[in-house]
Amino acid sequence: MEMIRRQKIYEIVANKIKEKIKNGELKPGDKLETVEQMAKSYGVGRSAIREALTTLRGMGLIEMKQGEGTFVKEYDYSHFIPSKDSLLLLDKKELRDLFEVRKILETSTAFIAAQNRNKDDLTLIKNALDKMTTAVDNEEQVERADVEFHLAIAEATHNSFLIELMHHISDALFSTMRESRRFWQSSEKLTLQRLYLEHESIYHAIVDQNSELAKEIMQSHLEKVKGGLHSMEKDEQ
């Protein structure tokens, strides 16, 4: 029988503070209560508070300033993913690896966006979709509208982590779209009309708040992108 580990008091306190940071109750720059005040607020000893703060500092969520107090930090994603400049230097194999991350990220993003979207979100997604048709004769503008469409879906999740990650990889996302579309055009596997219809289907699933369908269509769409990138690699070998 699997044993369930009991949380230590300082872990419970750390999780409560972390949740306040996550939901925006505590914002970057906010000063936390003193150790004594928090001990009273949470009904625990001061040693548990100190351990909790040490844990949160190790996560990069707070910083302790000598003589001033403890403050919430701006969350730094750069420890986990490459810089935008380095993303632009990725080779074909690395772009394919990035695409795998993109597929995991965007199928979930479409699913969550369908649940959480509001009228303003739908307007932004539709605007990006419309740009894809009006810019049909300008390849770069179509690509930018394509990226804008996917970023607008990320915004519709109202999940700060997903939004930040999607914006961070947007330049590399632009590169994968450009390369894969060039292959599609040369092989006539995907016309701009088909590309638009796929995006339109994703949009309508989000409008209908059909999470499963939005995820399914997004996955199907991205599988075609993967096929284009894979074929390009084979042609270059």
Side-chain angles (χ1 to χ4, degrees):
M1 187 176 189
E2 186 179 349
M3 296 293 292
I4 299 175
R5 187 181 73 87
R6 293 181 63 183
Q7 279 192 312
K8 296 179 180 178
I9 294 174
Y10 81 86
E11 291 176 326
I12 295 173
V13 174
N15 285 334
K16 287 181 180 294
I17 297 172
K18 185 169 67 174
E19 186 60 32
K20 288 183 178 181
I21 295 172
K22 183 179 176 182
N23 65 27
E25 189 176 338
L26 287 172
K27 298 179 174 57
D30 283 355
K31 183 178 179 179
L32 299 183
E33 294 178 313
T34 65
V35 171
E36 290 76 13
Q37 288 171 330
M38 281 194 280
K40 281 187 177 181
S41 297
Y42 291 101
V44 299
R46 285 179 291 180
S47 61
I49 297 296
R50 291 193 187 95
E51 285 187 80
L53 294 178
T54 299
T55 300
L56 293 170
R57 183 173 61 179
M59 293 178 180
L61 296 175
I62 62 171
E63 58 182 335
M64 299 173 182
K65 298 181 180 179
Q66 188 66 35
E68 296 183 45
T70 303
F71 298 84
V72 178
K73 287 180 65 177
E74 187 77 48
Y75 197 76
D76 185 3
Y77 296 84
S78 63
H79 298 299
F80 303 97
I81 47 181
S83 68
K84 288 185 178 180
D85 289 340
S86 65
L87 284 171
L88 293 174
L89 300 175
L90 297 179
D91 60 26
K92 291 292 189 299
K93 167 62 168 60
E94 290 168 328
L95 278 175
R96 191 178 67 179
D97 290 344
L98 175 67
F99 168 79
E100 292 297 333
V101 175
R102 179 189 167 193
K103 185 170 70 170
I104 294 167
L105 188 64
E106 290 206 65
T107 52
S108 296
T109 297
F111 183 91
I112 297 170
Q115 294 177 326
N116 297 345
R117 96 293 184 276
N118 58 36
K119 288 183 180 179
D120 291 337
D121 297 322
L122 293 178
T123 298
L124 289 175
I125 299 171
K126 185 62 164 63
N127 286 345
L129 193 60
D130 291 343
K131 287 179 184 178
M132 292 179 68
T133 56
T134 57
V136 67
D137 294 324
N138 187 313
E139 183 181 350
E140 184 168 337
Q141 285 184 21
V142 171
E143 289 160 356
R144 286 295 179 191
D146 199 340
V147 174
E148 187 179 322
F149 176 84
H150 288 270
L151 290 178
I153 291 175
E155 293 285 348
T157 67
H158 298 275
N159 181 305
S160 58
F161 285 86
L162 281 175
I163 294 168
E164 183 71 21
L165 285 168
M166 281 296 295
H167 277 278
H168 190 90
I169 68 168
S170 62
D171 288 327
L173 184 59
F174 178 74
S175 296
T176 63
M177 288 175 174
R178 170 174 290 181
E179 295 298 326
S180 57
R181 185 171 292 117
R182 283 175 181 166
F183 175 81
W184 283 330
Q185 288 173 340
S186 64
S187 64
E188 299 181 351
K189 285 191 175 181
L190 184 68
T191 64
L192 286 176
Q193 180 62 23
R194 256 186 70 195
L195 180 70
Y196 174 83
L197 290 175
E198 288 183 4
H199 284 77
E200 186 180 45
S201 296
I202 295 168
Y203 166 71
H204 284 303
I206 292 173
V207 170
D208 295 337
Q209 293 193 297
N210 191 332
S211 297
E212 290 293 346
L213 183 59
K215 180 179 179 179
E216 181 182 324
I217 299 172
M218 179 67 81
Q219 182 162 337
S220 174
H221 169 64
L222 293 177
E223 284 296 335
K224 293 186 179 73
V225 179
K226 180 181 179 181
L229 290 173
H230 181 65
S231 298
M232 281 190 302
E233 285 184 349
K234 290 175 66 176
D235 286 352
E236 291 177 358
Q237 289 173 354

